[in-house]
Each structure stands twice: as C-alpha cells, then as structure tokens.
Amino acid sequence: MRIRVNGTDHEVDFEEDMPLLWLLRDELGIHGPKYGCGIGQCGACTVHLDGVAVRACQVWAADVGAAEVTTIEGLGTEDAPHPVQQAWIDLQVAQCGYCQPGQVMQAASLLNETPNPTDAEIDDAMSGNLCRCASYPRIRAAVRRAAGQEGA
Amino acid sequence: MGLGKIARRSFLIGTAALGAGVAFGVYSYRREGENPLRAGLAPDAAALTPYVLLDPEGVTLITPRADVGQGAASVQAHLLAEELDVDPAEVRLSPGPASPVYHNGKVAAEGMPLAAWDDGFAARTGRAASEVAGKLMGLHLTGGSTTVPDMYDRLRAAGASARETLKAAAAARLGVPAETLRTEGGRVIWAEGALPYAELIPALAEVEVVQDVPLRDPSDWRHLGRPHRRVDIVAKSVGTFRYGGDLVLEDMVHATVVTNPTRGGGVVSMDASEAEAMRGVEAVLPITDGAAVLADNDWRAFKAARALRFEWGGAGPRDDSLLEMHAAALDGDRDSAFTDEGDVDAAPGKRIEAEYRVPFLHHAPLEPATATVRYTPEATEIWVATQAPIFVAEAVARLTGQDREQVTVHVLPAGGSFGHRLEHEWVEQATEIARQVPGRPIRLMLSREQDMTHGFYRPMAMARGRGTVETGQVRSLDLAVAAQSVAESQLGRLGYPALGPDVAIVAGAWDAPYTLPDRRITGHRVPATVPVSSWRSVGASHNGFFLESLMDELIHEAGADPVEERLRLLSHAPSRRVLETVAEMASWNGPEGKRGVAFAFSFGVPVAQIMEVRETSQGIVMDRLWIAAELGRVLDPVNAEAQLSGGALFGIGHAIAAEITFGGAGPEQQNFDTYESLRLWQVPQVEVRALGSGGSIRGVGEPGLPPAAPALANAIFAATGTRLRRMPFSAEMRFA
Ligand code: FES
Ligand code: FES
C-alpha cells in the first residue's frame, strides 16, 4: 500500500495494526518522531495528518489512507526553519530535546488552526506534550513568539 | 591490578575516602595519564591535549562530560573555545573515548561530610584529598553538578595550551617570533596572512606542547559570561538531532527485553510460542531474569514481548513493610550525626513535632533506556548514552570475559537522564543478547513499561522533626532522616563496598548553613531492599522538603516572618544574598495568604524560592515562582535560567503527583498515565535570577530542585491552613 510522507510517496507492506510511529521510524527511517510512551500520554510522537496534530503511536498506519503525513522533517530544515522552529531556536527551548519534535509539531498545528491563541488556548493545546526536562516556560514563550505576540 | 583499580576497590564513602588519596601518595597523582586521543590517531592528525583534536577537516573539541540535556556539551565547548579561539558552532564536538584521563576531580567530595560553604583547613584538605582520589580512581563520570566546577580551569587550560602550541608551530614554520602572532576564528594570524589550524598539523611535529599558559582574564572573554547559543539548539529544534534509538547500523537487529518486575526473582517458566510465531520475530533469547525478543523493527519486538507468558519467581517488597522498615530505622541506631550542636533535648521553649515522608521516584527521562552492542570474541563495541563510560566498559568486559581494552564505548547524547544514565543494567542486557548473535549489532530499546518498572529509584525517605520556639524565634531544631543508602546500592552494583556513614541520607539538611544554639541532624540507614540511585539532587531532593517544611512550621509557631527569621538564622553571606534577592524579586510582604518561601543549599549553591498559589474551586493553582541562586560565576545566563527553572519544576511536578509504589509484584506504575508528570497548564510564571558574585564557581543542574517542593507546600499552608507533610501532595490536596 501507499503512504505519502513529507511530500514523498512510499510503497510499503505492513501489518494492519502497526502504528504510524513505527512505520515512520523503522520502515521509512524517519526518526524525527520519537517513542516516549506508546499510549498517547507523552506527545513525543506527534506528527500532522493533513496539517492536524495526531499522536503517531495511536494512529494505525493502515488508517492514514490518502491523508498527507507531515513529520518534523517536513516542517522545516536547518537552513529554512518553519516559524515555530525558528521561535524554538531563538528562545533556546530545548534541553535534552527528546520531546521537542512533538512540541514543535503540536505548536505548529495549534497555530494553523488558531493563529493568535490566548494563553489558555496555548496551555490547552500543549498540555498533552510532556517535557520531562520541564522546559515549559520557554515552550509557552516560544508559541507566543511564533504567533507574533512577543518580541523576545 | 592497576592503581586505579585498587583505589576504586577501596573506594570508601564518608571520611574514609581520604585514605585512598593519602595511601597512594603524590607520585602517581602527579603522573599525567596517556593522552587517549593518541591511540589510533591517523598520521595526518594531531592530538593537542586530551581535549583538542586536529585533522585535515579542522578542529574537534572533546567534551567528555555527558550531555543529558543540561547543556554540558555547550559549556565545555565554550570553555575550550574561549582560549583556543575557535567558534564553537564551526567546529566538531565529540564526547571522546572512555578514559581515566577524563576523571572527575570534584564528584568524590559529594560523598564526604564536607559542607561546601566550609573553607576551614580540614574541609580544604579533605576536598584536596578527594580530588586525588577521583584522579586515582579514574572516575570518568558526569554527575553531582560538577561539570562546570571540575572543568572550568581544566578546559580553559587545555584550550590555551593548544593555542600557544599552534602559535609555536606557526612561528617555526614561518620563521617569525611567536609573540608576533595572534589567533582568531580557528586560524593563526601573521603580518601577511592567516593559517587555518589544520594546516599546521605537519609543523606541530616539530614543537613541544606549550604548558602552563596563563588564562585570560574574564574581562577579555568573548564567549563565557554572556548568552550562548547552545551547540545543539538548531538540530534539536528542527528534529535532526539523533539519539541512541535513532542509530542504524548495517545488519542491525532490533531487540527489547522483558524481565522479572522483582529484580533477581528469576524465571520459573516461560512460554514463547506465540511470540516466536509473530511476523518479523527472529528469536526469543534467555537473559538474566527474563527474555529478549529480536525482531526486524522495534514495534514487532515490543508486540512479541507482550505475547511472552512468564511465571516469575521471587517475592517483591511491599510499601507497608517498607514504611515499617523506615519507622524502625528512625527508632534504631544512627548512621550519622554530622551536625550535633548544643543540646536539642534540653532546648527551652515551646516544642513541636512532625513526621514527613516521600515515596520512591523514577528518573523516567523521556527517551527510554537504549543501547546498541556488537560483540565478537575479539572486540565489543557499545553505543550508549551514559554518564559513566568506564563503568559501562568494565561491566561489559566482566560479562564477556574480555580485557577492558577490547571494549569500546561510543558515548551518545541522552534524551534526558536526571541520574538514570549513571546506571547501565540495559547495557548488560544488550551485551547478553549480543553474545548470542556474535558479529551482529543489536539495538536494545526498552518499552516504557519495562523502563518504568525497572528503574533504580530515588529512595523512599521518612523524617521526624522536632524543634522549639521561644520569644518569637526558632530556638532549636532536630531532624532525623531515614532512607536506604544510595551509595551502598550504587557501589554495590559496581562491586565495591561502601563503608562509613552515607552523607546522601542527610545531604541538604546537615550542611544547611543555619546557625541555632541547639541543632541536630541525624541519618538512619534503612536496610537495602529496592535498588536505589542518584536522582536529580540526590539526598537534597527529600531533605530540602523535610528541613524547610519543619523550619516553616517552627517559624509559624514562633509567629515570625518566614523570610526574616530564615535571614536571622543564616550566617552564610551568599545564602543571605539569595534569600534577600528572591524577597526583593517577589516584593515579599509576608505570606499574604498565598505565598511560601524555602531555601536550600546543595552542590555548593544556595537557592531561595518563593511560590505564589491560589485556591480555586478546582483546586490549587500555582501562579508564580521566583528563584534566586548564587553560582559564583554565571558562564551562560540562558542555560542557568533553563536549569534552575527546569530543576524547580521537575521537583514540583514530582512532589504533586508522582510516586513509585510496591505491592509485592514489583513497581505498580507502568507508564506516564499512572506515573504522572507536570504538564504545561500547571506551570506557573517563573522568574529566575542567577547571581555570579564571585567565590567558587558551581554547577546548576541540580540545586534548583530542593527548595521547590517546600516552597509550594509552604505556600499551600499559607493559602489553606493545610500542612502537607507527605508526597505526593495530591494524596491530600486537590490541584487544578
Ligand atoms: S509515544 Fe505517542 S504519545 Fe507517547
Ligand atoms: S527537553 Fe527533555 S523532555 Fe523536553
């Protein structure tokens, strides 16, 4: 069967119940999405389906169908970062960094839907993403910055 | 047996650690170890000190302290770059090989009863001896917030030595005096041009390494002391940063393990038939205490692992009996009484008493434990995120029966640690698997469930506090703390004895720089049951809570102001400074029915915090947190803020909701649904001030944690009148 990831079509053969996370990581070698819990509790695996954040560990790859999958690799690059990634760089959000691909994808999805979120909307949208290093104050500030709400 | 090995064999905690340094004398201490970069050095490369490698491609800086997210790679790179005149963003970084040359000179002192604020002769002598011991033992180790204090001079000196040697080589090649040359951006500049460092490799063969170069004055610094851009920040923001679980080697097999939740209980029987028949499964192999599944991807290995049917042996501990053991330890003999002033039993005034306790906690870094091992009879290679590469290499060599030299450790960056990656049980498991498939790299990734239930936990701890108040002041304080010994547990796993009293049981309490006429802090060692480990800020993680809660109760009883009374009792100037600073930041005007303050001194860093909460119909809301810390010197204000705030929030999150409990069949928490973590909506607005007022430079990864939970508990008392004496707080208090 066929799956479209970051603008590229892939022909793959896998079990019905293989979560999208593992198809991406182990079959396609796309390592940006991370495994943190496998039960939808941490958000480290967050990717977009047609621009909307989902937990890749909770989506069966077989259910993706014709939807466009975007991982952090498809959002921006080192040379041309997405505005959310740029805010993450400017404010130096990452500590260990393991949660950050998921945080960035969640934030990008939030700003797709709600370009100018309130603090409460930011907290709501981002609270499914754990950061064990507790980089939370900068996550909050970086979302605001990406939304153009803060200078620094 | 080498000197290092003998020294480590006799690594005694407590005052006895002094013996190791003294016994071996100065000769072997002075002798510099072989530069580990020379082994296998390409003919067109040069190793200038153990920290600077040159090849035709350019400069590689060796940053041997592990980066677990605390920014160690960046700060080490900047320390070297400051003297070497390279741009940290333009050079390559490598953690280097496992080598005793990269020993940690500061970490052994953490095991000794030396208060970091004590500058007396005995304390200075003790610290010097512990540095000798650290060197003799070849402790290539990251921990105890020691990277900056241990590497501050060493890396700058290495950078300066490499720079002056490069200038000498350029001078020889150009036939000009070295004094006419300067360095900038990885090049030696002379009157008519510039030579990139790499072009000087042949000329380096002609000159001696220049030693003992004076270090630049901080007023001339270009990198240190101002905001850095972390070397890893771009890769970590765009998703290209690679961790152990992202490593792919040719012919690699994916593996996961399932072992008895009661460690050491063994396997009574196993049925692997269903698992073995599953798609992608190559084999189910026995390992100590369980089995490994080998498959062609991680998910297939996880899925098959869930299909293994085990009957486990052994009976695990239970919380009720563990609590009884702690109570019994408090009634029993003391392990230590490093602070015993005046006579707490005869102290005058009104007496209060209280009991506190905290549960076991897992480090649970977000990246689960992962290791890749390739074994052949000739050599074993390991790729792993570890804080202690030499311990890993020795453990693996013991398992394979190989010489230490046949085992190579490639240190990878870590997706968090909080002390977890001082352990290496999963590397041993990966090695057991790899030995059964020689020649093929196996990449072991633990499932979150296996990782959560096989931690080496922060010990449960219990404390009894007593004290008296008189004429509006705190007069006496007596705190007894019972916990298992982390040193005994950790060193035991490495095969070393841990004799003498365990400082960690009382760390952060016995050495708090309060002055009272009558004060006693005693440690009580609980017999080893559950394996325990160093968890961010170690003993201070519970003692900050015990001491500052008791202090708050006494101050309340005395009717005094929580900031003023602490200031009255603190004689240590930097400690007073942080408390005054945080009070000013928060415009402190008493608890005002919403605010709590706490102070703690750990890893040489005094930290004061004020928390402001609000009681709502949904529960407690944390509104604001102010943090002030004295670091001696701040090398990177951006990272200092991140670590102090991260440490505090890590402490708060666990204090509110996290616990590992035991019900007879291993830990009862399997994943982040039951082992709860702080989430964004709970996070208060945080304001940090990191002071650099001089004195010894200190590390910042751990000291932010100890005062956080008591500041919250004290704020909740101000807001609600309920005194929280037990973690997790959510057992007794609702949080919004
Ligand atoms: S790995 Fe998917 S939510 Fe944790
Ligand atoms: S930066 Fe480490 S888990 Fe978020």
Side-chain angles (χ1 to χ4, degrees):
Chain A
M1 90 161 267
R2 190 172 283 269
I3 186 163
R4 192 169 169 80
V5 184
N6 299 331
T8 306
D9 287 322
H10 300 268
E11 197 56 49
V12 285
D13 158 41
F14 52 82
E15 298 89 319
E16 283 280 292
D17 58 342
M18 184 187 285
L20 176 59
L21 173 64
W22 300 107
L23 176 79
L24 293 169
R25 287 184 55 82
D26 287 347
E27 302 299 313
L28 302 180
I30 296 170
H31 286 121
K34 301 295 184 215
Y35 165 69
C37 70
I39 60 166
Q41 286 288 323
C42 77
C45 63
T46 304
V47 301
H48 293 177
L49 283 190
D50 288 337
V52 178
V54 296
R55 306 290 180 238
C57 71
Q58 297 301 298
V59 175
W60 284 11
D63 290 344
V64 171
E68 169 89 33
V69 180
T70 310
T71 71
I72 186 143
E73 287 91 343
L75 198 67
T77 61
E78 298 205 1
D79 296 327
H82 181 275
V84 170
Q85 293 169 323
Q86 188 63 54
W88 249 248
I89 294 167
D90 293 345
L91 295 189
Q92 306 214 52
V93 175
Q95 292 186 30
C96 84
Y98 197 78
C99 72
Q100 303 297 350
Q103 306 279 3
V104 165
M105 294 308 281
Q106 188 68 37
S109 168
L110 164 68
L111 297 180
N112 276 346
E113 287 170 42
T114 314
N116 203 8
T118 62
D119 286 359
E121 285 170 327
I122 294 173
D123 284 2
D124 276 355
M126 301 299 297
S127 280
N129 291 72
L130 287 186
C131 177
R132 291 288 294 164
C133 301
S135 66
Y136 294 120
R138 289 192 189 170
I139 289 174
R140 207 180 255 156
V143 176
R144 288 192 195 126
R145 183 183 174 95
Q149 293 173 354
E150 273 178 23
Chain B
M1 200 184 292
L3 272 180
K5 206 158 194 184
I6 296 169
R8 246 175 296 146
R9 280 272 151 76
S10 52
F11 183 13
L12 312 178
I13 58 167
T15 40
L18 289 166
V22 177
F24 294 102
V26 272
Y27 166 69
S28 64
Y29 175 65
R30 289 251 172 83
R31 201 182 53 181
E32 275 309 319
E34 185 73 13
N35 184 342
L37 302 180
R38 297 241 165 81
L41 193 68
D44 58 353
L48 285 171
T49 82
Y51 302 95
V52 180
L53 184 67
L54 285 177
D55 65 21
E57 308 283 293
V59 177
T60 301
L61 302 180
I62 309 300
T63 58
R65 293 294 171 265
D67 200 309
V68 294
Q70 85 286 41
S74 273
V75 77
Q76 292 173 90
H78 283 87
L79 284 165
L80 282 161
E82 187 63 65
E83 292 286 345
L84 185 58
D85 291 331
V86 293
D87 178 347
E90 299 292 315
V91 299
R92 285 164 293 165
L93 303 186
S94 162
S99 167
V101 167
Y102 302 123
H103 69 270
N104 187 324
K106 297 280 192 236
V107 76
E110 276 299 319
M112 301 171 69
L114 303 170
W117 42 261
D118 184 353
D119 250 344
F121 176 74
R124 276 185 284 128
T125 312
R127 271 192 287 275
S130 80
E131 290 211 25
V132 176
K135 182 164 185 176
L136 276 171
M137 292 184 272
L139 284 178
H140 181 178
L141 190 114
T142 307
S145 292
T146 56
T147 296
V148 161
D150 188 40
M151 290 304 209
Y152 179 59
D153 287 341
R154 235 155 117 190
L155 292 182
R156 287 184 302 142
S161 163
R163 180 193 72 226
E164 290 306 312
T165 309
L166 284 159
K167 279 163 72 179
R173 173 160 152 195
L174 300 167
V176 300
E179 299 75 56
T180 64
L181 303 172
R182 60 188 185 85
T183 48
E184 194 186 304
R187 299 172 311 165
V188 179
I189 316 280
W190 58 301
E192 290 157 53
L195 281 167
Y197 290 167
E199 282 183 27
L200 290 164
I201 294 170
L204 282 167
E206 312 301 318
V207 296
E208 292 284 316
V209 171
V210 183
Q211 306 272 18
D212 300 322
V213 180
L215 298 178
R216 287 175 173 155
D217 190 84
S219 61
D220 295 327
W221 283 349
R222 276 167 298 174
H223 300 287
L224 302 173
R226 56 196 68 187
H228 302 165
R229 173 176 277 200
R230 280 178 72 126
V231 292
D232 51 11
I233 201 67
V234 174
K236 284 180 174 175
S237 305
V238 303
T240 49
F241 195 80
R242 289 291 165 255
Y243 302 85
D246 306 326
L247 182 74
V248 178
L249 298 174
E250 206 187 328
D251 199 27
M252 184 179 88
V253 198
H254 298 249
T256 198
V257 299
V258 182
T259 58
N260 193 328
T262 300
R263 206 181 253 109
V267 178
V268 175
S269 69
M270 174 179 77
D271 176 1
S273 51
E274 191 188 338
E276 279 167 340
M278 292 169 83
R279 177 170 169 184
V281 173
E282 291 195 16
V284 176
L285 301 173
I287 62 161
T288 303
D289 243 8
V293 177
L294 274 58
D296 60 357
N297 81 25
D298 290 326
W299 174 72
R300 290 184 182 126
F302 286 171
K303 194 177 170 192
R306 278 196 300 272
L308 293 172
R309 299 286 165 258
F310 287 101
E311 190 189 329
W312 301 120
R318 305 179 60 94
D319 268 22
D320 44 8
S321 52
L322 287 163
L323 283 167
E324 278 168 27
M325 286 169 75
H326 284 70
L330 284 171
D331 292 333
D333 291 345
R334 286 174 199 164
D335 181 64
S336 70
F338 300 128
T339 293
D340 194 354
E341 292 150 359
D343 183 351
V344 287
D345 294 316
K350 180 166 183 230
R351 184 169 296 269
I352 66 163
E353 292 188 6
E355 194 166 298
Y356 310 90
R357 68 179 213 239
V358 299
F360 291 100
L361 292 174
H362 188 24
H363 308 87
L366 197 56
E367 179 201 20
T370 299
T372 301
V373 176
R374 176 166 50 207
Y375 165 85
T376 67
E378 294 73 41
T380 301
E381 263 186 294
I382 304 153
W383 292 262
V384 66
T386 174
Q387 294 174 239
I390 286 197
F391 291 160
V392 167
E394 288 183 353
V396 169
R398 267 198 301 276
L399 270 178
T400 59
Q402 291 169 317
D403 289 338
R404 166 67 188 82
E405 292 65 39
Q406 291 170 282
V407 177
T408 306
V409 183
H410 306 278
V411 177
L412 306 177
S417 176
F418 319 116
H420 191 42
R421 295 176 212 276
L422 285 164
E423 304 295 336
H424 54 251
E425 184 182 51
W426 56 94
V427 188
E428 296 179 313
Q429 292 168 339
T431 306
E432 283 193 65
I433 302 166
R435 287 193 73 193
Q436 301 181 59
V437 285
R440 288 189 76 183
I442 72 104
R443 191 183 85 195
L444 169 66
M445 187 189 274
L446 300 192
S447 68
R448 174 57 60 194
E449 291 78 9
Q450 170 76 18
D451 186 290
M452 191 68 83
T453 49
H454 293 78
F456 294 88
Y457 303 111
R458 194 284 302 273
M460 170 188 266
M462 192 185 274
R464 284 188 196 142
R466 305 187 303 163
T468 56
V469 300
E470 197 182 41
T471 59
Q473 295 184 334
V474 179
R475 168 61 206 251
S476 73
L477 184 150
D478 182 15
L479 185 71
V481 183
Q484 289 185 66
S485 165
V486 165
E488 178 188 332
S489 192
Q490 278 183 316
L491 290 171
R493 286 194 284 285
L494 297 168
Y496 304 119
L499 310 175
D502 184 1
V503 183
I505 294 173
V506 289
W510 84 271
D511 51 348
Y514 287 120
T515 307
L516 286 102
D518 307 287
R519 184 171 69 121
R520 182 170 67 185
I521 310 287
T522 53
H524 298 255
R525 191 187 294 212
V526 175
T529 47
V530 177
V532 291
S533 181
S534 301
W535 186 90
R536 198 173 190 173
S537 82
V538 202
S541 74
H542 45 81
N543 292 327
F545 172 59
F546 296 156
L547 181 65
E548 286 299 289
S549 295
L550 175 62
M551 183 61 88
D552 217 64
E553 299 206 40
L554 287 164
I555 292 172
H556 181 76
E557 193 61 43
D561 177 84
V563 168
E564 290 306 318
E565 183 64 357
R566 281 181 176 82
L567 281 173
R568 187 184 70 80
L569 298 172
L570 282 172
S571 45
H572 178 238
S575 297
R576 297 177 57 84
R577 193 179 305 132
V578 297
L579 201 48
E580 283 162 353
T581 302
V582 84
E584 180 216 307
M585 289 165 70
S587 308
W588 175 264
N589 190 19
E592 297 183 86
K594 60 183 181 183
R595 286 175 166 193
V597 64
F599 162 84
F601 183 87
S602 64
F603 304 91
V605 181
V607 183
Q609 300 184 12
I610 291 174
M611 172 68 88
E612 181 173 308
V613 302
R614 195 161 29 100
E615 195 180 17
T616 72
S617 55
Q618 270 87 50
I620 296 290
V621 172
M622 292 178 280
D623 280 326
R624 299 192 68 178
L625 173 65
W626 293 269
I627 305 173
E630 176 58 75
L631 301 175
R633 186 182 283 285
V634 180
L635 294 182
D636 175 7
V638 178
N639 194 49
E641 185 199 285
Q643 288 306 308
L644 286 165
S645 134
L649 294 173
F650 187 80
I652 286 166
H654 289 86
I656 290 176
E659 60 180 335
I660 293 287
T661 56
F662 291 86
E668 294 176 309
Q669 290 71 23
Q670 301 274 325
N671 206 319
F672 290 121
D673 51 347
T674 45
Y675 190 73
E676 289 180 45
S677 207
L678 193 72
R679 292 182 181 272
L680 185 66
W681 56 268
Q682 299 172 288
V683 174
Q685 190 184 322
V686 184
E687 199 181 313
V688 176
R689 212 173 287 173
L691 307 175
S693 315
S696 300
I697 190 164
R698 299 294 182 177
V700 72
E702 296 173 276
L705 191 146
L712 172 60
N714 296 343
I716 289 173
F717 176 74
T720 66
T722 301
R723 180 61 72 180
L724 297 173
R725 300 192 179 94
R726 187 180 128 195
M727 292 185 193
F729 297 158
S730 59
E732 289 162 45
M733 180 63 55
R734 205 156 147 232
F735 288 81

